Amino acid sequence: MEERVSISISEGVADVRLVRADKMNALDQAMFEALVAATDRLSKEKRVRVVVLSGEGRAFCAGLDMGRFAAMKETGGNGIPGGENRDLTKRTHGHANFPQQAVWGWRQLPVPVIAAVHGVAFGGGFQLSLGADMRFLSADARMSVMEIKWGLVPDMAGTPILASLVRDDILRDLTYTGRIFSAQEAMSYGLATRICDDPRATALEVAREIAGKSPDAIRAAKRLLNNLSVDPGPALLAESVEQQKLIGSANQTEAVRSNLEKREARYVD
């Protein structure tokens, strides 16, 4: 886990860092496993009262590792985290499958999570930020629901979380177009909690403030606020069913090939 995610705990605050800086913290198999392992560990850490999630280097998380898309182009393989034949509809963690748990696990933690986002948070990286209770962004941060570019849909728990944060038409706009949007736009949409000069430093400061409150009240508040959401089960399963049908299909493979070859896509109706 330490090769992808580091965890240090001090005075009730868990400082969690994605440490694949040379790849802009892109999501490869090892990163997925490390994220799931991190939430599993933190869920059992009684001394943790708040978590700050951030990325080293130039970006929070650039999304799915490009090597997976290259594999799709060459072989038509599915590029699913955890193996080429993974059944996305199989529930491995309650309502979630394994890739979804890399995001949903942060929402399930019994304590608040603050994502400190700088650089880019694209695709799966954007969904990862959604797993947090709050998102602190740098002024130059950029985000995107980028899955449509690759002929896919968001399938890492992003859909039900987004539906609780933004207007329906905004959700559809971002999902259908995959356009990149700014921190200022994220704030206007309800996707950013604060815009900060130094998101991680501000997140750690706020985390220490929260950690100074009653740990019983903090955990009770998280349970209470999580219970305001509708049952996520059907939405999480629907993500998986739709993605399973798309992965490896002719048009999805063409989306990958056309992007990597920098040409217009030739889709079939």
Side-chain angles (χ1 to χ4, degrees), residues 1 7 32-42:
M1 183 178 81
I7 300 175
F32 275 98
E33 292 176 353
L35 288 168
V36 173
T39 57
D40 182 62
R41 173 188 164 184
L42 291 169

Side-chain angles (χ1 to χ4, degrees), residues 13 50 194 202-214 218:
V13 176
V50 192
R194 305 186 189 187
T202 303
L204 288 170
E205 180 182 351
V206 172
R208 286 189 288 269
E209 178 185 352
I210 295 172
K213 307 297 193 293
S214 164
I218 291 169

Side-chain angles (χ1 to χ4, degrees), residues 8-211:
S8 61
I9 301 172
S10 176
E11 298 180 340
V13 176
D15 184 8
V16 181
R17 302 276 276 161
L18 279 60
V19 293
R20 199 186 183 207
D22 59 321
K23 298 293 184 181
M24 298 178 71
N25 298 312
L27 300 164
D28 62 354
Q29 175 62 21
M31 183 67 85
F32 275 98
E33 292 176 353
L35 288 168
V36 173
T39 57
D40 182 62
R41 173 188 164 184
L42 291 169
S43 69
K44 301 178 178 69
E45 287 277 4
K46 299 299 184 184
R47 56 186 172 142
V48 170
R49 300 182 183 183
V50 192
V51 175
V52 173
L53 177 64
S54 63
E56 287 189 352
R58 296 181 294 134
F60 174 74
C61 178
L64 199 62
D65 190 281
M66 288 298 295
R68 292 192 177 276
F69 293 119
M72 287 182 188
K73 174 191 172 186
E74 297 302 324
T75 68
N78 60 28
I80 299 171
E84 291 301 311
N85 298 311
R86 177 179 290 275
D87 180 3
L88 288 178
T89 64
K90 182 179 179 182
R91 306 293 90 182
T92 59
H93 295 76
H95 290 304
N97 64 20
F98 180 77
Q100 288 170 331
Q101 186 64 14
V103 172
W104 195 248
W106 303 98
R107 182 57 60 108
Q108 289 181 306
L109 286 182
V111 297
V113 180
I114 307 172
V117 179
H118 73 289
V120 302
F122 289 163
F126 173 58
Q127 292 184 78
L128 178 59
S129 75
L130 295 175
D133 297 68
M134 296 173 277
R135 281 156 295 283
F136 291 3
L137 275 59
S138 64
D140 60 352
R142 295 176 297 149
M143 292 177 150
S144 172
V145 185
M146 196 167 276
E147 284 77 9
I148 196 72
K149 175 179 179 179
W150 305 103
L152 299 170
V153 293
D155 74 327
M156 290 171 55
T159 319
I161 300 174
L162 276 168
S164 71
L165 293 174
V166 302
R167 287 186 348 222
D168 181 76
D169 60 326
I170 296 295
L171 172 56
R172 292 168 187 266
D173 172 20
L174 299 178
T175 304
Y176 295 157
T177 66
R179 65 181 176 84
I180 296 170
F181 55 96
S182 67
Q184 291 73 25
E185 288 173 292
M187 177 66 80
S188 70
Y189 298 153
L191 294 170
T193 310
R194 305 186 189 187
I195 297 177
C196 319
D197 291 335
D198 187 335
R200 179 167 174 259
T202 303
L204 288 170
E205 180 182 351
V206 172
R208 286 189 288 269
E209 178 185 352
I210 295 172

